[in-house]
Amino acid sequence: MRWSLLLISVLWTTLLVPEKKFTFQEKPVLTWDDFMGTPPVDAHHAASVNSGIAYGYSAKRTRDQVTIEFDVRSEFYPQLSWKKDLLEDDAQLLRHEQLHWNISELHARILKRAFDNYNPTKNYKVEILGIFKRVESNRQTMQARYDKETNHGLILSKQREWETYISQEFFKTS
């Protein structure tokens, strides 16, 4: 029974984690070639970026103190990102999708800053996860708000406002 559960969890993890990914530092500017996924049949919009934030850490515990080193990054998943018509070269749509990628990077920077300001206690595992969940929730909320306010990039004036806003936030976090 134990081996069955182990095999199931290994298979499940393997299926959930995309094979290919890259970080913002590796590729900050997207091209349509990065969108390798297949659009869902019922997709209502023309393209979708699949990205997120990830972290890892190593903790060193001495008698009364915990020292933690963090690794924080934004990740883009090409096999889960898609465009309905890959033959069409829509620069405005790509600009919209690029900003989704930038929003993930912005939140990676916010998470890094939160971890840099974090003073660990003996409950650091729970606290670190709580910090991540808060920042990730904010990232998801911003992504949804961005799509709603720009109507998936169709309201060009709102798209430009968002581009300016994210650019300013990048400056603040660099």
Side-chain angles (χ1 to χ4, degrees):
M1 182 66 158
R2 181 181 298 159
W3 288 106
S4 300
L5 290 175
L6 178 62
L7 180 61
I8 289 170
S9 58
V10 167
L11 286 173
W12 183 256
T13 303
T14 304
L15 293 173
L16 288 179
V17 177
E19 285 179 36
K20 296 181 182 181
K21 63 184 172 189
F22 54 81
T23 67
F24 193 86
Q25 286 65 37
E26 294 168 329
K27 191 162 183 1
V29 179
L30 298 176
T31 67
W32 284 125
D33 291 337
D34 297 320
F35 293 72
M36 299 176 182
T38 303
V41 177
D42 60 346
H44 298 292
H45 43 284
S48 179
V49 160
N50 192 300
S51 65
I53 56 177
Y55 73 94
Y57 65 87
S58 60
K60 189 178 194 181
R61 190 176 250 188
T62 57
R63 191 175 300 163
D64 294 333
Q65 189 175 356
V66 178
T67 306
I68 301 177
E69 290 185 27
F70 292 96
D71 173 41
V72 177
R73 63 206 168 278
S74 54
E75 296 179 336
F76 183 94
Y77 307 104
Q79 295 167 318
L80 300 175
S81 300
W82 53 264
K83 181 176 183 270
K84 281 188 178 175
D85 183 1
L86 287 174
L87 299 176
E88 180 185 333
D89 184 21
D90 185 336
Q92 183 56 41
L93 179 59
L94 184 56
R95 282 179 67 170
H96 177 78
E97 297 306 318
Q98 175 68 51
L99 210 62
H100 278 294
W101 182 216
N102 292 3
I103 289 170
S104 286
E105 171 61 16
L106 173 62
H107 283 81
R109 294 176 185 190
I110 292 168
L111 181 61
K112 182 176 181 348
R113 183 187 299 157
F115 285 157
D116 287 347
N117 293 328
Y118 170 64
N119 292 315
T121 70
K122 63 181 177 179
N123 296 321
Y124 67 90
K125 291 179 183 178
V126 172
E127 294 166 348
I128 289 170
L129 182 58
I131 293 168
F132 171 76
K133 285 182 175 181
R134 178 179 45 82
V135 173
E136 174 60 11
S137 176
N138 290 343
R139 184 189 73 83
Q140 290 178 11
T141 298
M142 183 180 280
Q143 296 281 17
R145 196 175 99 225
Y146 168 55
D147 270 337
K148 182 177 180 183
E149 289 181 10
T150 65
N151 191 20
H152 297 275
L154 297 175
I155 304 172
L156 296 181
S157 61
K158 286 293 185 183
Q159 179 68 32
R160 283 190 292 277
E161 285 178 24
W162 271 91
E163 289 169 0
T164 300
Y165 171 71
I166 296 302
S167 178
Q168 290 169 345
E169 293 302 306
F170 263 30
F171 181 75
K172 290 178 189 175
T173 59
S174 56

